[in-house]
Amino acid sequence: MSATGLLRKLSDEQKSILAAKSVKLNRPADELLALLKPIAAFDVAAAPARKQAGCSLAALIVLSVVVAIYGVNQEGNLRFVSLGLAGALLVGAIISGTTWRKLQAADVSDNLSKIVIPFLTILREDVAPAEPVALDIDLTAGDAKKKLTQTINPKTKGYPKLVTTVYLDPWFEGSAVFADGTQLKWKVVDRLRVTKKTKKNPRGKIKMKTKTKVRSDVRVTMAFPTKHYAPKHNAVPGEKRHEVKLAKRTKGAAETPQGFPMLIDLIADGYRKVNAQKGAAR
Amino acid sequence: MNECMSKQGFFSLRPCGEPAATNCATCSRPVCSRHLSPTSGFTQCLDCTARGVEGDALRQPGSNPGVDDDREWAYGYRRGYYASHSYAPFNYGDDDSYYDDYDMRSFDRDLGTSNAGITGTDADGKPDWTDS
Ligand SMILES: [Zn+2]
Ligand SMILES: [Zn+2]
């Protein structure tokens, strides 16, 4: 289905999440997936559609101007027909422009489809069906103005010019209780470093290059019920829950966010820190 | 009616226990409708399907949200993950030779009190995560 078709099929709640681009939820994983998956599906379909609408907008404007100029220089019927055609092309451009703006306004971070949805799909396996999972997600762009923390601008005169901006994006946190009684809390904070390099070549032509690097910090806290799990290290006698804190940091390109494998690896590492409790109820 | 013999979970595994809808055409275990694979036309369990697609079981998640059957993806990913990350899930069910290639960490059956389910209620009847 087309992106605009998918957009039209969204519920009012889904549309309001798309508009706000951030949401706090506390529901069973099945319900969260039913709510968020259509938004992610729309976002994935909208990426090429947005590009297409942008291209046709530009092409139609250029074409209508060319036809209009041609028409003005003609006489009689030919003039009438070409000006009419220019008008029609302009209407087409307006329609493409509206579509483009609509899709642009509804753009959410790829983190939804690349991290939140797969992570919830795995979590759903370990959380009892009726148990809620708490989510707090910010899907606005990582380089949104409100996330800007630092502008490093070492050289303001002359070329090459190097401007680095740093953004802090604490975009994902949540908690859940697994069916085995283990409590889980997680938090993902991305740090974007955007480097803009402006060069001037010997002929005086100015060229700009932008590079974005993402550093993801993932923190996971797990509390294992000692009824089922025996800590391998640092056990406190008599504790009902054994808390384990884990953290991981990864640097990478913006196109391949590492949040999903990092979350899974950290939780798996947490489970590696405990043994099955002797005599635990099965 | 038989109970579904598929194991649910990722970090720890537990019996599904839902009423079985049919028997898997490949392993002939009874399985519920949720544990049947759509790509097999609902004739094969998700575990058997995961074995068949092992090669691309670790394909990038989220490539087709809402289009892929995500539970089917999860079972393929689970199988691939255990192998590639040498992860040994805890096992809250009976030993099942079907899962022999999973390195499962089992609980000591004989010492356990028999009825405390893992979704967990303490003696006072409260879910066991409220007691901290
Ligand atoms: Zn099977
Ligand atoms: Zn089942």
Side-chain angles (χ1 to χ4, degrees), chain A residues 205-277:
Chain A
K205 213 173 166 196
I206 291 170
K207 272 188 178 172
M208 204 175 74
K209 237 188 187 171
T210 310
K211 223 194 217 167
T212 303
K213 279 196 172 170
V214 183
R215 190 184 83 190
S216 294
D217 279 296
V218 181
R219 269 163 213 284
V220 161
T221 305
M222 296 170 79
F224 293 97
T226 50
K227 196 167 77 174
H228 296 146
Y229 297 106
K232 289 183 184 171
H233 317 280
N234 311 323
V236 179
E239 61 180 349
K240 274 195 155 183
R241 303 195 155 276
H242 180 73
E243 200 175 84
V244 172
K245 288 190 176 186
L246 302 124
K248 199 171 182 170
R249 176 178 285 184
T250 303
K251 279 182 194 173
E255 298 74 38
T256 50
Q258 292 301 305
F260 170 71
M262 288 168 80
L263 281 162
I264 299 295
D265 288 351
L266 283 178
I267 300 170
D269 284 348
Y271 273 98
R272 286 192 176 96
K273 293 188 187 296
V274 292
N275 287 323
Q277 185 67 268

Side-chain angles (χ1 to χ4, degrees), chain A residues 31-46:
Chain A
E31 286 178 34
L32 290 173
L33 283 166
L35 179 70
L36 298 175
K37 263 163 65 176
I39 301 176
F42 159 72
D43 191 56
V44 169

Side-chain angles (χ1 to χ4, degrees), chain B residues 10-71:
Chain B
F10 187 93
F11 300 105
S12 69
L13 299 174
R14 60 190 193 278
C16 165
E18 289 288 307
T22 184
N23 288 71
C24 168
T26 306
C27 66
S28 42
R29 296 184 305 162
V31 273
C32 74
S33 53
R34 278 187 320 156
H35 280 111
L36 282 170
S37 126
T39 55
S40 73
F42 300 96
T43 58
Q44 202 178 39
C45 72
L46 293 180
D47 291 299
C48 283
T49 305
R51 291 179 176 196
V53 298
E54 194 158 8
D56 55 335
L58 274 172
R59 74 198 145 94
Q60 202 56 31
S63 48
N64 266 319
V67 180
D68 289 345
D69 178 84
D70 293 326
R71 190 169 268 117

